[in-house]
Amino acid sequence: MRTEQDGMGRQEAWQAELDWLFARQRFGVHPGLGRVQALLARLGTPQASFRTVLVGGTNGKGSTAATLAAMLRAGGTGGPVYQSAPDTVHGAVRGGRSGTAGRRGRGGAGPRAPGG
């Protein structure tokens, strides 16, 4: 590790070592959207061909999505609603169109158990 003898303070030396180490990291967290934006650009920016609303957070996503869907329907701009559903069996999803909720997984029209 470089030290004050090399003209670096402890903090700078520590940061230089971390920079060197992380520059060699092949996997792991790489913050930012640069790679995703580059991929979408190579694909012709497909996300620009449709309008969408993303609702994220910890609590209240379902009611917020339902309220937004109702507002859009009332304004004549209805469309599908897709919700990821980590609480359902095997990562199934919930979705609906124009206020009707579809469901696969628990008790819906999804796959049946063998012999069932």
Side-chain angles (χ1 to χ4, degrees):
M1 181 184 242
R2 293 175 214 115
T3 63
E4 288 129 14
Q5 296 171 358
D6 299 328
M8 279 190 188
R10 270 199 150 149
Q11 186 68 29
E12 293 86 9
W14 179 251
Q15 188 61 51
E17 295 299 325
L18 284 177
D19 292 344
W20 178 87
L21 179 64
F22 284 117
R24 280 139 187 85
Q25 184 176 357
R26 183 172 177 197
F27 302 106
V29 177
H30 299 280
L33 296 174
R35 293 181 315 250
V36 172
Q37 289 170 336
L39 173 63
L40 290 170
R42 290 181 69 182
L43 294 173
T45 60
Q47 76 282 6
S49 66
F50 57 91
R51 295 184 293 179
T52 184
V53 175
L54 173 69
V55 180
T58 304
N59 297 316
K61 293 178 293 296
S63 58
T64 301
T67 301
L68 285 170
M71 292 168 59
L72 291 170
R73 276 193 313 276
T77 315
V81 175
Y82 170 84
Q83 289 179 275
S84 64
D87 60 325
T88 58
V89 178
H90 302 295
V93 296
R94 290 180 288 194
R97 183 170 182 79
S98 300
T100 63
R103 191 167 182 121
R104 293 184 314 170
R106 291 188 302 199
R112 293 192 174 155

